[in-house]
Amino acid sequence: MGDIKYNAEVRDLTRIERIGAHSHIRGLGLDDALEARVVSQGMVGQVRARKAAGVILNMIREGKIAGRAVLLAGQPGTGKTAIAMGMAKALGEETPFAMMAASEIFSLEMSKTEALTQAFRKAIGVRIKEETEIIEGEVVEIEIDRPEGGSAAKQGKLTLKTTEMETIYDLGSKMIDSLHKEKVSAGDIIAIDKASGKVTKLGRSFARSRDYDAMGPATKFVQCPEGELQKRKEVVHVVTLHEIDVINSRTQGFMALFSGDTGEIRSEVREQIDSKVSEWREEGKAEIVPGVLFIDEVHMLDMECFSYLNRALENDMAPILVVATNRGITRIRGTNYRSPHGIPIDLLDRLLIISTEPYSEKEIRQILDIRCEEEDVDMSDDGRELLTKIGHETSLRYAIQLITAASIVCQRRKGTEVDVEDISKVYSLFVDVKRSTQFLIEYQEQYMFNEVPGADEEEQQQQHVQQQQMMEVSG
């Protein structure tokens, strides 16, 4: 198979920020002693659960223990996914964090075990170190000769300098295009990778800080490099094992990562990659970065998946597994056996269980304040009090969803801030689960295929009474 291929290209992406259910989460809100702050980094309450998650976080950062599993268990709307998102934010971009819902496994066009294997390998990173030669210096002058006919190739000269030396380089058409693409001009500090020819603009020289015409609000000033122009530099790339799998199992290479349809990957390919990564580790070229695999709604997995997880957690290169569920004692999917959280006892025995508790009225108010700020909604104190009461009596999720709806109603009446009347209006327009259930019970006869709990038992009792009456009459 030869050398393993991996993609080390860095791409700039333009993100379109949208407000999501957990977009206000910035971390776990812990101090250096792993004590949970009351309100911090978007997290409110759940002090014990967050502190326990902080201990797990330190275990992940050390990266010494593989195959540990954590269960976040609690009622719906108690912040289980928020804690997992906080862990992901606190770990940073270097540590792989893969998220999935358990029901995804049954909708993919591949076997369940293959889907879980890919999820596990997405959560294991490989930090690859390599030395590369770069040319780094301040641009003194760029001369480009453009032929009049247009048929001949462009040529030019680039003058670079450091604090100790200055050199003139001849430029070909490709390098000219790269410099033009990066909008390089005299006074810029640039780095050129000799192997790939990639040009990186590091900033502008402090010597040009008074050239106000050539400055923008985001201009970054850096010192002129010292020493020689050509340097050897250690470059570190972090890729996941799944990305290496896809690149080496598809003919189109790393472009297969963007197509989405990765398909099933042969076990032989994975074995070769694992052995190659082990070689790199022994040679000091690479190191494993165990990440986190978060599976939400884990009770949706069946016995095959649970038995696979048992075996996968024993692997040396297993990531930290974090699962979440809101179920109590219920049936394990695909069987008639009942178990706590719908998870087999042998797997539960491997899990460190973190329980979440319902939010108090004060904590609900603090969460709603954070969400109002996140969604850029001005709300009066009376309105917040009413919304807090609604959240306490119905559910936190229902109260959060009323914020934007109430804001739109406020805009329609040309109001400056959301008040009690706006919340009352949307409360009457959108019913919560309790009121919807009450409505169904009142008008059950008018719905199709209605099955009210206990209705069959009442019918059976009525039939039994009628049979007894008939027997008495005939007797």
Side-chain angles (χ1 to χ4, degrees):
M1 185 170 145
D3 287 341
I4 300 290
K5 295 174 282 182
Y6 62 91
N7 177 34
E9 187 180 350
V10 178
R11 293 172 297 278
D12 293 327
L13 300 176
T14 305
R15 291 174 180 263
I16 300 171
E17 292 295 335
R18 294 191 68 192
I19 298 168
H22 300 102
S23 57
H24 61 284
I25 304 294
R26 308 279 184 266
L28 283 173
L30 303 173
D31 59 18
D32 294 335
L34 293 182
E35 291 295 330
R37 303 186 191 96
V38 181
V39 182
S40 178
Q41 294 182 318
M43 297 293 285
V44 175
Q46 304 297 352
V47 173
R48 284 170 56 197
R50 281 158 55 201
K51 191 173 179 179
V55 174
I56 300 297
L57 210 63
N58 274 19
M59 194 165 69
I60 295 162
R61 281 180 180 143
E62 286 177 9
K64 293 174 184 174
I65 304 170
R68 291 297 170 93
V70 182
L71 170 65
L72 296 169
Q75 300 96 319
T78 52
K80 297 180 294 297
T81 309
I83 290 171
M85 292 294 293
M87 289 174 73
K89 297 282 185 183
L91 284 169
E93 294 181 3
E94 282 267 308
T95 307
F97 190 97
M99 291 185 71
M100 68 181 300
S103 52
E104 286 179 37
I105 288 168
F106 300 95
S107 59
L108 295 168
E109 293 178 356
M110 62 180 78
S111 67
K112 290 177 281 190
T113 52
E114 173 65 21
L116 280 171
T117 304
Q118 289 193 11
F120 262 77
R121 291 175 78 85
K122 280 176 188 174
I124 303 165
V126 183
R127 190 180 285 118
I128 301 165
K129 302 169 188 172
E130 63 175 2
E131 280 195 348
T132 180
E133 285 194 1
I134 61 164
I135 299 169
E136 192 176 87
E138 180 185 335
V139 178
V140 178
E141 189 182 12
I142 303 175
E143 292 180 12
I144 298 170
D145 299 327
R146 291 185 175 85
E148 290 182 5
S151 57
K154 290 181 284 187
Q155 291 182 336
K157 292 184 185 295
L158 171 68
T159 308
L160 287 177
K161 71 165 187 177
T162 64
T163 53
E164 296 177 12
M165 62 184 293
E166 185 173 311
T167 308
I168 299 171
Y169 294 94
D170 290 328
L171 299 176
S173 57
K174 283 188 178 179
M175 187 56 70
I176 291 169
D177 291 339
S178 297
L179 292 168
H180 182 69
K181 188 180 174 183
E182 290 292 322
K183 297 178 181 175
V184 174
S185 60
D188 289 337
I189 308 292
I190 63 168
I192 303 169
D193 189 334
K194 283 189 75 177
S196 63
K198 186 176 180 355
V199 178
T200 308
K201 194 171 170 182
L202 304 175
R204 272 193 84 71
S205 171
F206 274 112
R208 302 293 183 116
S209 59
R210 295 188 181 276
D211 297 351
Y212 298 110
D213 293 341
M215 275 169 51
T219 305
K220 180 183 171 186
F221 289 101
V222 291
Q223 291 282 2
C224 181
E226 298 177 354
E228 294 189 5
L229 278 162
Q230 289 195 36
K231 300 183 181 80
R232 290 188 71 83
K233 192 175 181 181
E234 189 180 72
V235 182
V236 179
H237 313 289
V238 179
V239 290
T240 66
L241 280 178
H242 176 67
E243 288 171 346
I244 301 175
D245 290 346
V246 173
I247 291 165
N248 288 278
S249 64
R250 295 287 175 271
T251 52
Q252 62 265 48
F254 77 91
M255 289 305 292
L257 292 168
F258 304 102
S259 66
D261 182 23
T262 55
E264 295 207 9
I265 295 164
R266 298 194 318 276
S267 58
E268 298 85 34
V269 173
R270 287 201 176 106
E271 285 170 11
Q272 287 176 320
I273 288 166
D274 288 347
S275 64
K276 194 70 182 177
V277 169
S278 297
E279 280 180 33
W280 287 347
R281 286 172 71 187
E282 288 171 11
E283 293 169 7
K285 290 181 181 177
E287 57 183 274
I288 296 293
V289 186
V292 180
L293 172 61
F294 175 61
I295 304 178
D296 208 355
E297 309 292 336
V298 73
H299 54 265
M300 293 300 291
L301 296 179
D302 60 10
M303 284 300 289
E304 288 178 42
C305 298
F306 286 129
S307 61
Y308 173 84
L309 289 179
N310 267 324
R311 186 188 66 79
L313 286 172
E314 293 173 354
N315 195 340
D316 292 342
M317 294 211 297
I320 302 291
L321 178 67
V322 179
V323 297
T325 180
N326 55 21
R327 297 297 167 96
I329 297 169
T330 185
R331 281 194 182 88
I332 301 168
R333 181 170 177 167
T335 71
N336 292 321
Y337 299 106
R338 290 179 179 274
S339 178
H341 311 297
I343 301 170
I345 298 294
D346 58 340
L347 182 57
L348 270 175
D349 197 34
R350 294 175 183 268
L351 301 174
L352 292 168
I353 302 173
I354 301 173
S355 59
T356 54
E357 301 162 356
Y359 290 108
S360 66
E361 200 164 340
K362 183 184 176 184
E363 288 168 348
I364 289 171
R365 170 64 187 263
Q366 290 170 333
I367 293 167
L368 291 172
D369 287 346
I370 292 168
R371 288 303 302 180
C372 285
E373 188 180 339
E374 179 73 13
E375 296 179 28
D376 201 18
V377 173
D378 292 325
M379 191 178 291
S380 66
D381 288 338
D382 291 341
R384 293 183 191 221
E385 285 295 330
L386 177 59
L387 201 60
T388 304
K389 189 179 177 185
I390 290 169
H392 187 63
E393 291 178 358
T394 59
S395 73
L396 175 61
R397 286 172 178 164
Y398 175 68
I400 288 171
Q401 291 180 88
L402 291 183
I403 294 172
T404 307
S407 173
I408 292 166
V409 170
C410 175
Q411 289 171 15
R412 298 299 294 174
R413 67 172 179 84
K414 303 289 192 292
T416 54
E417 64 176 11
V418 176
D419 211 343
V420 173
E421 59 179 296
D422 303 312
I423 294 166
S424 302
K425 177 77 172 174
V426 293
Y427 181 75
S428 62
L429 289 173
F430 305 104
V431 294
D432 58 280
V433 176
K434 288 179 182 175
R435 285 185 290 158
S436 179
T437 307
Q438 188 62 40
F439 182 83
L440 287 175
I441 291 169
E442 287 178 15
Y443 298 97
Q444 56 182 315
E445 296 85 3
Q446 298 175 24
Y447 283 85
M448 292 179 66
F449 309 114
N450 178 61
E451 294 181 8
V452 178
D456 294 341
E457 295 173 9
E458 289 176 7
E459 286 178 13
Q460 288 173 4
Q461 286 176 357
Q462 287 176 0
Q463 288 175 2
H464 184 63
V465 171
Q466 287 174 359
Q467 285 175 359
Q468 283 184 334
Q469 289 174 349
M470 290 287 287
M471 286 172 68
E472 286 173 1
V473 170
S474 62

